[in-house]
Amino acid sequence: MIRRPPRSTPSNSSAASDVYKRQEEYKTELRIHPLLTWFWAAISTARAEYKPYIVPEGLLKELFTPRVHYFSNPSEFAPSDPLYNQLRINDAVCFPNLWQWTKMAVCRITGDTEESVLLKDIKINQFYDAFRCAQQFFQIHHNNTPNDAFFPTINMNFLRPSAASVLHPHFQSLILPLAPPLLALILQESKNYYETNHQDFFNAYAEHERNGPRWIGEVGHNEDRIFWISPWAPLAGSDEVLFISNSFSAFPLPDQVWRNIAEGLHKIFVGYHEMGIYSINLVIFSDVYNSTNEYFRIFGMIWSRPLKNLDISDRGFAELGYKMTLTFRSPEMVAADLRKYW
């Protein structure tokens, strides 16, 4: 549910009444800032009441949280979506995320027994299959609601030696009704750049950086190329890597482009390992699904976690890569708790 700020400020009683009346009607609100209209926050009060997926007691052989086990045998224990059930391409399996704050799916990358692995040990084909699995998820949603525009993103939170709150490395594929705040700004500014300079910023930036001190390399040929750069001004975090599509502005992507991204990721993660970086976040941004334009190019960012060599959680892709807020208590709830001290 998308909520814009009210044109006039309601009284405390009417505002509180509105909030509590609506709580049963939605799980997540996307609230747009009254001044910074490109910025929005996700208010997901239902997520605060999340209860872990319960696995039969006989499967709890290790001291892990119960919900890790549904990755090991997803066909039996993972949830299914009424629209697509589960999607599988070799080791990759795509199924609904248990902790949803928008329409989203988990895409497991590695095989049933490949739980606690390092990034450098994930195979190119495994990344490639998981990307294609995620794209199937987006395409099924598009086919089911062809008139609904959405922004698809592919994301990853990875903690060594696990993959976040579950052990298997996995992508999180999101379907968003609004562009994430950072993407919204970049779409706006890249359009302005194109109208002023008559070329797209992304290819101009790649050519400016080519063979310079921040240039890493490229994978692929002609329109399928992916450029890999350490950006002049990192947007998300330390050790940041930016990768840019030469030609495409939105998903779906041809299989060869996904393979080129998978090959580049593998090279980056092998290099990160040698640098002592074992934990990362990743985001890949697209314009509206199945759209095209001349001024924007699909791009992704990878950066190291603040505690890059420890198995400890911090902030994820949404807060850092999207520049958005994800909160489990509504502002009205916070104010109600604190108002009693006035």
Side-chain angles (χ1 to χ4, degrees), residues 34-86:
L35 177 63
L36 309 176
T37 55
W38 50 269
F39 180 84
W40 51 268
I43 314 296
S44 186
T45 55
R47 192 169 180 177
E49 299 175 3
Y50 169 79
K51 293 180 175 58
Y53 182 70
I54 303 300
V55 175
E57 196 67 30
L59 292 180
L60 301 181
K61 299 177 181 177
E62 300 91 4
L63 295 176
F64 298 139
T65 55
R67 56 199 168 101
V68 304
H69 293 276
Y70 70 80
F71 271 45
S72 298
N73 190 356
S75 60
E76 183 175 356
F77 295 111
S80 297
D81 187 275
L83 190 60
Y84 64 86
N85 191 21
Q86 295 180 3

Side-chain angles (χ1 to χ4, degrees), residues 4 41 48 57 124 180 189 194 196 219 235 248 251 280 289 305 315 334:
R4 300 181 184 276
E57 196 67 30
I124 294 173
E189 292 302 324
Y194 183 82
T196 301
V219 180
L235 287 170
F248 297 94
F251 301 159
I280 59 95
Y289 191 82
R305 307 291 282 261
R315 304 179 78 188
V334 175

Side-chain angles (χ1 to χ4, degrees), residues 3 9 24 29 31 42 46 51 64 72 76 83 88 170 178 180 191 195 217 224 227 229 245 249 256 285 289 318:
R3 295 187 71 183
T9 303
E24 296 300 319
E29 286 184 298
R31 294 193 182 183
K51 293 180 175 58
F64 298 139
S72 298
E76 183 175 356
L83 190 60
R88 182 183 284 270
H170 60 281
L178 298 171
K191 185 176 183 179
E195 291 173 348
D224 293 337
F227 308 123
I229 302 164
S245 167
S249 55
Q256 186 58 54
F285 286 127
Y289 191 82

Side-chain angles (χ1 to χ4, degrees), residues 124-189:
I124 294 173
N125 280 345
Q126 290 177 318
F127 281 126
Y128 172 59
D129 290 340
F131 282 136
R132 292 190 296 145
C133 213
Q135 184 155 281
Q136 284 188 16
F137 165 68
F138 297 136
Q139 186 63 46
I140 289 170
H141 180 83
H142 175 68
N143 292 344
N144 188 58
T145 55
N147 296 322
D148 290 351
F150 67 91
F151 293 87
T153 67
I154 296 178
N155 314 273
M156 189 178 193
N157 293 327
F158 188 95
L159 292 170
R160 184 192 69 88
S162 67
S165 56
V166 292
L167 289 188
H168 279 85
H170 60 281
F171 293 134
Q172 297 189 47
S173 304
L174 272 61
I175 291 172
L176 296 165
L178 298 171
L182 179 63
L183 176 59
L185 269 182
I186 288 176
L187 285 167
Q188 175 184 309
E189 292 302 324

